[in-house]
Amino acid sequence: MVDSTTDALPPEAATTVTEPQPEPAKVFTGTAGASAQREYDRRKDKREARIRDDHPYLGKLILAVSDDPQSTQAWATGARGEEVLGQRLDKLTGRGVHVLHDRRIPRTRANIDHIAVCPAGVFVIDAKKYQGRPSLRAERGLFRPRTEKLIVGSRDCTKLIHGAHKQVDLVRSALEDADLEGIPVRGVLCFVDADWPLFGGDFTIDGVHVSWPKKALENLLKPGPVDDQTARHIHRTLASSFPPA
Protein backbone atom coordinates (compact mmCIF):
# COMPACT_ATOMS: atom_id res chain seq x y z
CA MET A 1 0.00 0.00 0.00
CA VAL A 2 1.28 3.52 -0.83
CA ASP A 3 1.87 5.77 2.19
CA SER A 4 0.05 9.05 1.51
CA THR A 5 1.21 10.78 4.72
CA THR A 6 3.49 13.17 2.84
CA ASP A 7 0.63 14.21 0.53
CA ALA A 8 -1.45 15.08 3.57
CA LEU A 9 1.09 17.56 5.00
CA PRO A 10 -0.04 21.19 4.93
CA PRO A 11 1.76 23.45 2.43
CA GLU A 12 3.57 25.38 5.19
CA ALA A 13 5.23 22.16 6.38
CA ALA A 14 6.90 21.52 3.04
CA THR A 15 10.69 21.89 3.01
CA THR A 16 12.17 24.34 0.53
CA VAL A 17 15.34 23.05 -1.05
CA THR A 18 17.78 25.75 -2.20
CA GLU A 19 20.69 25.12 -4.49
CA PRO A 20 24.05 25.89 -2.87
CA GLN A 21 25.71 28.98 -4.31
CA PRO A 22 28.94 28.26 -6.13
CA GLU A 23 32.15 29.45 -4.51
CA PRO A 24 33.68 32.46 -6.29
CA ALA A 25 36.62 31.53 -8.46
CA LYS A 26 39.91 31.97 -6.67
CA VAL A 27 41.76 35.13 -7.62
CA PHE A 28 45.17 34.56 -9.22
CA THR A 29 47.36 37.02 -7.35
CA GLY A 30 50.09 36.99 -10.00
CA THR A 31 53.83 36.40 -9.88
CA ALA A 32 55.95 39.27 -8.67
CA GLY A 33 58.54 40.37 -11.23
CA ALA A 34 57.36 37.94 -13.91
CA SER A 35 57.02 40.42 -16.77
CA ALA A 36 60.34 42.12 -15.98
CA GLN A 37 62.08 38.75 -15.92
CA ARG A 38 60.54 37.83 -19.27
CA GLU A 39 61.75 41.08 -20.79
CA TYR A 40 65.25 40.45 -19.46
CA ASP A 41 65.26 36.93 -20.91
CA ARG A 42 63.99 38.24 -24.25
CA ARG A 43 66.71 40.89 -24.51
CA LYS A 44 69.42 38.51 -23.35
CA ASP A 45 68.41 35.81 -25.85
CA LYS A 46 68.19 38.35 -28.67
CA ARG A 47 71.71 39.66 -27.94
CA GLU A 48 73.17 36.16 -27.74
CA ALA A 49 71.55 35.14 -31.03
CA ARG A 50 72.82 38.29 -32.76
CA ILE A 51 76.39 37.76 -31.55
CA ARG A 52 76.40 34.09 -32.56
CA ASP A 53 75.08 35.02 -36.03
CA ASP A 54 77.57 37.84 -36.52
CA HIS A 55 80.53 35.83 -35.20
CA PRO A 56 80.03 32.12 -36.00
CA TYR A 57 83.49 31.15 -34.71
CA LEU A 58 84.09 33.64 -31.91
CA GLY A 59 80.54 34.16 -30.71
CA LYS A 60 80.82 31.81 -27.76
CA LEU A 61 84.06 33.47 -26.61
CA ILE A 62 82.60 36.97 -26.96
CA LEU A 63 79.61 36.01 -24.84
CA ALA A 64 81.87 34.44 -22.21
CA VAL A 65 83.99 37.57 -21.72
CA SER A 66 81.30 40.25 -22.10
CA ASP A 67 78.31 41.27 -20.04
CA ASP A 68 74.81 42.23 -21.03
CA PRO A 69 74.39 46.00 -21.51
CA GLN A 70 73.14 47.97 -18.52
CA SER A 71 69.79 48.53 -20.22
CA THR A 72 69.29 44.74 -20.23
CA GLN A 73 70.65 44.09 -16.73
CA ALA A 74 68.25 46.71 -15.36
CA TRP A 75 65.32 44.41 -16.17
CA ALA A 76 66.80 41.57 -14.13
CA THR A 77 67.53 43.94 -11.25
CA GLY A 78 63.98 45.27 -11.36
CA ALA A 79 62.54 41.77 -11.42
CA ARG A 80 64.55 40.85 -8.33
CA GLY A 81 63.34 43.94 -6.46
CA GLU A 82 59.72 43.12 -7.27
CA GLU A 83 60.22 39.51 -6.21
CA VAL A 84 61.76 40.46 -2.86
CA LEU A 85 58.93 42.86 -2.04
CA GLY A 86 56.32 40.42 -3.32
CA GLN A 87 57.53 37.72 -0.95
CA ARG A 88 57.17 40.07 1.99
CA LEU A 89 53.70 41.14 0.89
CA ASP A 90 52.59 37.52 0.56
CA LYS A 91 53.39 36.98 4.25
CA LEU A 92 50.65 39.46 5.13
CA THR A 93 47.85 37.62 3.31
CA GLY A 94 46.65 35.99 6.53
CA ARG A 95 46.51 39.33 8.35
CA GLY A 96 43.77 41.09 6.43
CA VAL A 97 45.91 42.15 3.46
CA HIS A 98 44.93 41.01 -0.05
CA VAL A 99 47.64 41.42 -2.69
CA LEU A 100 48.04 41.42 -6.45
CA HIS A 101 51.39 41.24 -8.23
CA ASP A 102 52.59 42.35 -11.66
CA ARG A 103 49.29 43.54 -13.10
CA ARG A 104 48.97 44.70 -16.69
CA ILE A 105 47.53 48.13 -17.45
CA PRO A 106 45.02 47.47 -20.28
CA ARG A 107 45.87 48.81 -23.75
CA THR A 108 49.47 49.54 -22.75
CA ARG A 109 52.73 47.66 -22.28
CA ALA A 110 53.06 49.04 -18.76
CA ASN A 111 52.33 47.23 -15.52
CA ILE A 112 51.67 47.86 -11.84
CA ASP A 113 54.18 46.05 -9.62
CA HIS A 114 51.94 45.45 -6.59
CA ILE A 115 48.45 46.32 -5.34
CA ALA A 116 47.56 45.75 -1.69
CA VAL A 117 43.99 45.96 -0.35
CA CYS A 118 43.70 46.29 3.41
CA PRO A 119 41.57 47.99 6.10
CA ALA A 120 43.26 51.34 5.40
CA GLY A 121 42.32 51.19 1.71
CA VAL A 122 44.25 50.39 -1.47
CA PHE A 123 48.01 50.83 -1.79
CA VAL A 124 49.56 50.96 -5.26
CA ILE A 125 53.19 49.99 -4.72
CA ASP A 126 56.03 50.50 -7.20
CA ALA A 127 59.14 48.50 -6.25
CA LYS A 128 62.55 49.93 -7.15
CA LYS A 129 65.99 48.42 -6.62
CA TYR A 130 68.23 51.47 -6.92
CA GLN A 131 71.63 52.25 -5.44
CA GLY A 132 72.01 55.36 -3.27
CA ARG A 133 69.97 57.12 -0.61
CA PRO A 134 66.48 58.40 -1.48
CA SER A 135 65.92 61.96 -0.30
CA LEU A 136 63.54 64.87 -0.72
CA ARG A 137 65.01 68.05 -2.14
CA ALA A 138 62.98 71.25 -1.95
CA GLU A 139 63.92 74.11 -4.23
CA ARG A 140 62.62 77.65 -4.38
CA GLY A 141 63.89 80.61 -6.36
CA LEU A 142 63.22 84.31 -5.92
CA PHE A 143 60.53 84.25 -8.58
CA ARG A 144 59.64 80.58 -8.62
CA PRO A 145 57.25 78.57 -6.46
CA ARG A 146 58.58 75.83 -4.21
CA THR A 147 59.24 72.56 -6.01
CA GLU A 148 60.05 69.15 -4.57
CA LYS A 149 62.29 66.58 -6.21
CA LEU A 150 62.98 62.94 -5.49
CA ILE A 151 66.73 62.38 -5.45
CA VAL A 152 68.27 58.90 -5.24
CA GLY A 153 72.00 59.14 -4.70
CA SER A 154 72.85 61.93 -7.13
CA ARG A 155 70.08 61.19 -9.65
CA ASP A 156 66.88 63.15 -10.11
CA CYS A 157 64.17 60.49 -10.04
CA THR A 158 61.15 62.79 -9.75
CA LYS A 159 59.62 61.16 -12.82
CA LEU A 160 58.93 58.13 -10.61
CA ILE A 161 56.49 60.27 -8.61
CA HIS A 162 54.63 61.20 -11.78
CA GLY A 163 54.45 57.51 -12.73
CA ALA A 164 53.05 56.63 -9.29
CA HIS A 165 50.31 59.27 -9.70
CA LYS A 166 49.28 57.79 -13.04
CA GLN A 167 48.96 54.32 -11.52
CA VAL A 168 46.94 55.64 -8.56
CA ASP A 169 44.59 57.47 -10.94
CA LEU A 170 44.06 54.29 -12.98
CA VAL A 171 43.23 52.22 -9.88
CA ARG A 172 40.91 54.91 -8.55
CA SER A 173 39.09 55.05 -11.91
CA ALA A 174 38.67 51.27 -11.92
CA LEU A 175 37.08 51.44 -8.47
CA GLU A 176 34.76 54.27 -9.50
CA ASP A 177 33.65 52.27 -12.54
CA ALA A 178 32.70 49.46 -10.16
CA ASP A 179 30.71 51.81 -7.89
CA LEU A 180 33.46 51.71 -5.27
CA GLU A 181 34.24 55.40 -5.22
CA GLY A 182 35.43 56.85 -1.93
CA ILE A 183 37.88 54.04 -1.17
CA PRO A 184 41.24 55.57 -0.16
CA VAL A 185 43.93 54.89 -2.79
CA ARG A 186 47.57 55.72 -1.99
CA GLY A 187 50.76 55.55 -3.99
CA VAL A 188 53.97 54.10 -2.57
CA LEU A 189 57.50 54.04 -3.95
CA CYS A 190 59.34 51.25 -2.16
CA PHE A 191 63.12 51.20 -2.59
CA VAL A 192 64.56 47.75 -1.94
CA ASP A 193 68.17 47.62 -0.67
CA ALA A 194 68.65 51.38 -0.93
CA ASP A 195 71.00 53.26 1.39
CA TRP A 196 68.45 54.20 4.04
CA PRO A 197 69.60 55.83 7.31
CA LEU A 198 69.45 53.87 10.56
CA PHE A 199 66.65 56.07 11.94
CA GLY A 200 63.85 57.72 9.97
CA GLY A 201 64.37 58.47 6.34
CA ASP A 202 60.96 57.86 4.78
CA PHE A 203 59.04 60.84 3.46
CA THR A 204 56.06 61.88 1.35
CA ILE A 205 56.39 63.88 -1.85
CA ASP A 206 53.31 65.15 -3.65
CA GLY A 207 51.15 62.61 -1.85
CA VAL A 208 53.36 59.60 -2.66
CA HIS A 209 55.00 57.79 0.25
CA VAL A 210 58.68 56.96 -0.33
CA SER A 211 59.90 54.19 1.92
CA TRP A 212 61.59 50.80 2.34
CA PRO A 213 59.81 47.41 2.57
CA LYS A 214 59.44 47.08 6.34
CA LYS A 215 58.15 50.61 6.81
CA ALA A 216 55.82 50.40 3.81
CA LEU A 217 54.31 47.13 5.01
CA GLU A 218 53.68 48.50 8.50
CA ASN A 219 51.19 50.94 6.98
CA LEU A 220 49.22 48.06 5.46
CA LEU A 221 48.48 46.66 8.91
CA LYS A 222 47.00 49.83 10.32
CA PRO A 223 43.23 49.95 11.03
CA GLY A 224 40.93 51.71 8.63
CA PRO A 225 37.41 52.02 7.24
CA VAL A 226 37.44 48.98 4.91
CA ASP A 227 36.00 45.76 6.35
CA ASP A 228 37.29 42.41 5.14
CA GLN A 229 34.24 41.59 3.00
CA THR A 230 34.60 44.89 1.16
CA ALA A 231 38.35 44.35 0.86
CA ARG A 232 37.77 40.99 -0.80
CA HIS A 233 35.32 42.57 -3.24
CA ILE A 234 37.80 45.33 -4.07
CA HIS A 235 40.55 42.73 -4.51
CA ARG A 236 38.44 40.74 -6.96
CA THR A 237 37.41 43.89 -8.84
CA LEU A 238 40.99 45.07 -9.30
CA ALA A 239 42.14 41.59 -10.30
CA SER A 240 39.62 41.75 -13.13
CA SER A 241 40.46 45.33 -14.11
CA PHE A 242 44.21 44.69 -14.14
CA PRO A 243 44.94 41.13 -15.35
CA PRO A 244 48.29 39.43 -14.75
CA ALA A 245 51.04 40.91 -16.92
Side-chain angles (χ1 to χ4, degrees), residues 130-135 137 150-157 194-195:
Y130 287 12
Q131 298 296 317
R133 175 167 295 183
S135 61
R137 178 184 297 173
L150 170 63
I151 306 298
V152 183
S154 59
R155 292 185 295 170
D156 185 347
C157 297
D195 179 26

Side-chain angles (χ1 to χ4, degrees), residues 2-3 6 36 45 47 75 82-83 86 95 133 144 149 175 179 220 233 242:
V2 178
D3 186 356
T6 303
D45 292 344
R47 172 178 177 267
W75 287 98
E82 292 179 40
E83 182 182 357
R95 303 175 65 181
R133 175 167 295 183
R144 293 182 302 161
K149 293 183 177 181
L175 293 176
D179 295 328
L220 305 184
H233 178 48
F242 302 97

Side-chain angles (χ1 to χ4, degrees), residues 148-215:
E148 294 182 336
K149 293 183 177 181
L150 170 63
I151 306 298
V152 183
S154 59
R155 292 185 295 170
D156 185 347
C157 297
T158 309
K159 65 180 182 180
L160 298 179
I161 300 298
H162 304 322
H165 276 298
K166 290 180 181 179
Q167 294 184 5
V168 167
D169 289 343
L170 287 167
V171 170
R172 186 176 288 121
S173 294
L175 293 176
E176 291 173 353
D177 291 342
D179 295 328
L180 288 167
E181 62 275 355
I183 301 295
V185 182
R186 300 176 176 88
V188 180
L189 277 176
C190 190
F191 286 90
V192 180
D193 294 337
D195 179 26
W196 291 100
L198 290 177
F199 301 100
D202 64 314
F203 53 90
T204 298
I205 173 172
D206 198 15
V208 177
H209 187 211
V210 182
S211 186
W212 59 93
K214 183 179 179 181
K215 185 69 174 180

Side-chain angles (χ1 to χ4, degrees), residues 6-23:
T6 303
D7 295 335
L9 290 174
E12 60 270 17
T15 302
T16 302
V17 179
T18 58
E19 292 292 331
Q21 295 298 314
E23 291 270 341

Side-chain angles (χ1 to χ4, degrees), residues 71-141:
S71 58
T72 297
Q73 294 181 28
W75 287 98
T77 301
R80 180 56 183 159
E82 292 179 40
E83 182 182 357
V84 168
L85 183 57
Q87 291 172 350
R88 300 191 68 161
L89 283 167
D90 287 338
K91 292 180 180 179
L92 302 182
T93 53
R95 303 175 65 181
V97 179
H98 308 276
V99 300
L100 298 169
H101 304 299
D102 200 12
R103 313 307 288 196
R104 178 169 54 83
I105 298 175
R107 298 177 296 280
T108 75
R109 298 180 62 185
N111 75 303
I112 298 175
D113 291 347
H114 310 281
I115 300 174
V117 185
C118 56
V122 178
F123 289 79
V124 183
I125 307 173
D126 196 359
K128 298 298 179 186
K129 200 171 188 296
Y130 287 12
Q131 298 296 317
R133 175 167 295 183
S135 61
L136 171 63
R137 178 184 297 173
E139 297 179 350
R140 172 180 289 171

